[in-house]
Amino acid sequence: MARFPSTEQWYRWSAKHSRGIDVCVAGVVTVLSLLTAAEASVTAVVVSLGMTVPLAWRRSHTVVSGFVIAAFSVLHLVVIAHTLLLSVVAVPIALYAFAAYGPRWSSFTALGLAMVGAVGATVKYFSDSKSSEILVYNSLAFVVFVLAVWAFGDLRRVRMKELDGLAERARLLELEREQEAEIATITERTRIAREMHDIVAHSLTVVIAQADGGRYGAAQDPAAALAALETIAATGRQALTDMRALLSVLREDRPRDFAMIPGASDIESLVADLRRSGVDVHLQIEGNPRKLPPGTSLTAYRIVQESLTNVLKHAGPGAHTDVEMRWTEHDLVVTVVDDGRGVSAALIEPSAGGQGLIGMTERARLHGGRVTAGPKPGGGYRVRAVLPHGNT
């Protein structure tokens, strides 16, 4: 069963083919008008052409074509004495175009002229009626017809504005989705860069430190060299596991799985691994541990990991490091303090871009926390992070 097009489909189709529709309407009305006007006079033919041909531009040049039709309509009232020509059908068509497509001032002006013209045409061409009441009724009928045509045109204007508003809203929504997708991509890229930095920087620092220690101590203490190799292997395997967990997020279309991602509960094993590799580090936990959100838990781990990596890189040999995890009612306070060379080493051996401290600060801010870092009076370096755990 055939389905008729909806009003919205007709509006869209007619707007897309407006030029062709206007030319066809103007052509049909002109031909029909000329067939009747040719029997009258040359003047009637000229007036008919002046009223019908401008219909071809009723949407593209509404004001100009409309007022040309209005001028020839007045000429029709003045020079055509006995009967209305068929070309007067151009008047309601032009009035509709004024109401639908023209500026508001031209729409109301055309309405006023059309109403005056309707009354004038009634008086001139229907004044032979013996009853004045019939003349009044005829005038009212023409005025009501003019108002109805103008109202339909104005309704078309309102509908087109609604469609334009919907189209603009859809465009803005699409633009907003594209911007959100771009922001999400940048955010994810930044997160992955932070993770890569933390994993690679820590692992390579431990590997380099153990390799140097094993090389210097291999001749005097082969067992120490073997332990360094074991630490290097364990560190490499852990880094490989972390990298696989990170890259799997990019490959798999599913919610992020934090099961393989380290958290605050893994800080003890991190400190223990460094202690076994010969780093003088001590961990102290105060308060009752709370359950942290996965992102906050990972942030705590990465802050401690990055701080210990900086100790290995800058504190120098024989430095002692204290790691404190203090659980308060609302926050987890993580403090990493060393008594090594600190700032002097950082100035002599600058890191590539200083991304560690920036990454720690960004991580903490992302989860509502804060990080402060700086040298201690008398030597050493101190990092302090406050991370809200969201539990009361």
Side-chain angles (χ1 to χ4, degrees):
M1 182 176 179
R3 295 180 60 186
F4 292 99
S6 65
T7 304
E8 180 177 342
Q9 290 174 332
W10 163 250
Y11 281 156
R12 294 186 183 278
W13 184 88
S14 63
K16 185 178 180 180
H17 302 85
S18 60
R19 183 60 180 166
I21 294 174
D22 292 345
V23 172
C24 290
V25 170
V28 171
V29 175
T30 300
V31 170
L32 294 177
S33 300
L34 289 178
L35 291 177
T36 58
E39 301 176 356
S41 64
V42 176
T43 303
V45 171
V46 173
V47 170
S48 295
L49 289 175
M51 295 177 67
T52 57
V53 172
L55 290 176
W57 294 275
R58 65 189 181 97
R59 271 186 270 200
S60 58
H61 298 82
T62 304
V63 175
V64 175
S65 66
F67 282 118
V68 169
I69 294 173
F72 277 93
S73 299
V74 173
L75 186 62
H76 180 291
L77 286 175
V78 173
V79 301
I80 306 298
H82 302 293
T83 184
L84 285 172
L85 298 175
L86 182 61
S87 58
V88 296
V89 299
V91 174
I93 297 176
L95 177 61
Y96 180 91
F98 266 119
Y101 314 114
R104 296 299 284 172
W105 68 267
S106 66
S107 174
F108 289 113
T109 302
L111 175 61
L113 292 175
M115 294 175 67
V116 172
V119 174
T122 304
V123 171
K124 180 172 182 178
Y125 298 108
F126 299 96
S127 60
D128 57 347
S129 176
K130 296 180 180 180
S131 174
S132 60
E133 293 183 357
I134 295 178
L135 183 62
V136 172
Y137 290 149
N138 288 337
S139 298
L140 288 176
F142 277 114
V143 169
V144 170
F145 174 73
V146 167
L147 287 172
V149 171
W150 183 88
F152 278 111
D154 197 64
L155 182 63
R156 174 65 184 269
R157 174 198 297 274
V158 172
R159 182 58 178 164
M160 288 191 302
K161 284 187 176 181
E162 290 179 353
L163 293 177
D164 291 342
L166 291 175
E168 179 65 15
R169 182 179 179 185
R171 187 188 69 82
L172 292 176
L173 288 175
E174 183 65 24
L175 180 61
E176 183 179 353
R177 281 194 293 268
E178 292 177 358
Q179 291 176 342
E180 289 177 352
E182 183 177 356
I183 292 173
T185 300
I186 295 174
T187 302
E188 187 68 7
R189 186 183 300 139
T190 303
R191 186 192 69 83
I192 293 174
R194 284 198 302 260
E195 294 292 331
M196 292 283 288
H197 172 271
D198 292 342
I199 294 172
V200 174
H202 173 76
S203 302
L204 289 181
T205 299
V206 173
V207 167
I208 292 172
Q210 292 298 313
D212 288 340
R215 182 182 61 185
Y216 292 131
Q220 290 80 14
D221 190 356
L226 181 60
L229 293 175
E230 292 177 350
T231 301
I232 291 173
T235 303
R237 282 192 293 270
Q238 183 60 46
L240 182 60
T241 300
D242 292 343
M243 291 289 291
R244 284 175 175 171
L246 177 62
L247 296 178
S248 67
V249 176
L250 302 178
R251 293 193 299 264
E252 299 174 6
D253 186 16
R254 60 178 176 81
R256 190 174 301 151
D257 183 10
F258 288 92
M260 299 182 63
I261 297 178
S265 58
D266 298 302
I267 292 178
E268 291 188 59
S269 60
L270 172 66
V271 172
D273 290 341
L274 288 176
R275 189 183 298 117
R276 283 193 297 270
S277 65
V279 180
D280 185 9
V281 55
H282 176 260
L283 173 63
Q284 180 178 356
I285 301 177
E286 297 181 2
N288 298 320
R290 312 291 183 91
K291 181 176 178 57
L292 292 174
T296 306
S297 183
L298 174 62
T299 297
Y301 180 89
R302 293 303 188 201
I303 288 175
V304 174
Q305 184 185 54
E306 178 64 27
S307 300
L308 294 177
T309 300
N310 290 334
V311 170
L312 290 174
K313 293 167 63 176
H314 303 307
H320 173 75
T321 306
D322 287 313
V323 178
E324 179 186 83
M325 297 176 61
R326 182 163 54 88
W327 296 88
T328 66
E329 184 178 356
H330 303 287
D331 305 307
L332 167 62
V333 181
V334 178
T335 307
V336 181
V337 182
D338 69 80
D339 58 2
R341 292 181 295 168
V343 175
S344 60
L347 294 175
I348 298 172
E349 305 168 5
S351 61
Q355 296 299 316
L357 182 57
I358 296 175
M360 287 190 290
T361 303
E362 290 178 348
R363 284 180 181 276
R365 188 183 300 117
L366 182 64
H367 299 284
R370 60 186 184 276
V371 172
T372 56
K376 292 193 322 176
Y381 205 79
R382 180 175 181 268
V383 178
R384 184 175 184 271
V386 179
L387 301 173
H389 51 63
N391 299 307
T392 56

